[in-house]
Amino acid sequence: MSALSLFPFFVAGLVGSVHCVGMCGGIVSAFSMAAPRPAFPIAVTTIPAAAVVDGGLRVLAYNAGRLGSYMAAGALAGGMLGGVRQLAGVAPLQMAAYWLANLMLVALGLYLMDAWRGLARLEASGRFLWQRLQPLTRHLLPIRHPGQALALGALWGWLPCGMVYSMLLTAMLTGSASGGAAVMLAFGLGTMPALVTMGLLGNRLQTWTRKREVRLGAGLLVLPFGLLGLARASHGISAGWLDALCLTPAAMGVGL
């Protein structure tokens, strides 16, 4: 996979982080609430430098753990389909997954716009695993040092989330562990700006991300990627820029 072919997943994470703030906002804002004052205050001169550095390290460690779990899940998903494809020896399996991945991008756009909540049903499928992991998070709270934050992020990355699951289906499409991990890394990096900012500033972003116009704009940015990919598959549209910037068989190594 090329760096450009990972761009849609980065954008999905970037604009989809309005949902991430709602899902992970409580735990992420704890990084600033755990300190006597926000970890990255406006008036830095009134806060000890050590407190600012420690808060920033905890935020980064948490997100590093979260991205690590995303990549592990992506590697498992991509490797699983790769193994099945080798055993079955049929390309149509990957092509079907390609169609499904683009449909999931369309569903994600509608989900972010609050126009269709079907992805919320996917979250129920992950509750079985989360019910076993969630008790472990209690041993890591309150967060006192970056090591705890790293471990908590690694666990929290498995929180049931329809947006993450839609990306995992795309990671599965790559047909390799390395490709699946790359997709989830690109997606996770897209979510970083919002969650790091929230971890440093507290819950100031939550009110903004709950606004209807913000969620509508986020959905309208993701939706075209899925629609263009479906158009490419159904009509055989061939364009270099489309193969580079959208989910297409050529970008993902599938032949039409």
Side-chain angles (χ1 to χ4, degrees):
M1 295 183 67
S2 68
L4 278 177
S5 67
L6 295 173
F7 182 71
F9 314 119
F10 176 80
V11 172
L14 187 65
V15 299
S17 56
V18 299
H19 176 69
C20 294
V21 168
M23 291 287 290
C24 303
I27 188 65
V28 173
S29 62
F31 292 114
S32 45
M33 290 188 293
R37 299 187 188 184
F40 192 78
I42 296 175
V44 178
T45 55
T46 63
I47 306 298
V52 176
V53 172
D54 181 65
L57 287 176
R58 282 182 286 152
V59 170
L60 292 175
Y62 167 81
N63 281 283
R66 183 173 60 87
L67 262 63
S69 63
Y70 286 176
M71 292 177 67
L76 287 172
M80 179 175 64
L81 182 63
V84 171
R85 188 177 58 177
Q86 285 184 352
L87 290 174
V90 289
L93 177 64
Q94 192 175 14
M95 191 53 157
Y98 159 74
W99 273 83
L100 180 59
N102 278 289
L103 288 172
M104 291 302 294
L105 280 179
V106 172
L108 177 57
L110 296 174
Y111 181 58
L112 292 172
M113 296 163 62
D114 289 327
W116 183 68
R117 303 291 296 175
L119 281 184
R121 299 189 184 97
L122 271 180
E123 295 175 1
S125 64
R127 290 175 186 168
F128 178 81
L129 175 62
W130 181 241
Q131 286 173 353
R132 283 150 181 78
L133 292 177
Q134 187 178 24
L136 300 177
T137 65
R138 299 170 189 162
H139 303 293
L140 300 170
L141 295 171
I143 303 162
R144 297 185 179 88
H145 54 78
Q148 284 180 299
L150 179 68
L152 184 63
L155 289 174
W156 211 264
W158 299 96
L159 178 73
C161 175
M163 189 171 72
V164 172
Y165 292 164
S166 69
M167 290 295 103
L168 277 175
L169 283 174
T170 307
M172 184 182 294
L173 164 65
T174 65
S176 70
S178 59
V183 165
M184 294 308 293
L185 175 60
F187 166 74
L189 288 175
T191 66
M192 286 279 283
L195 290 180
V196 169
T197 301
M198 186 170 185
L200 295 174
L201 298 179
N203 58 6
R204 294 168 177 80
L205 286 180
Q206 282 188 311
T207 301
W208 182 77
T209 57
R210 287 172 183 160
K211 292 182 178 180
R212 177 168 176 75
E213 56 268 27
V214 173
R215 296 188 64 88
L216 181 63
L220 289 174
L221 284 172
V222 173
L223 187 61
F225 286 108
L227 293 176
L228 284 171
L230 291 174
R232 169 72 167 86
S234 47
H235 300 294
I237 301 171
S238 180
W241 65 269
L242 191 60
D243 286 339
L245 297 179
C246 293
L247 247 182
T248 66
M252 306 298 290
V254 187
L256 283 173

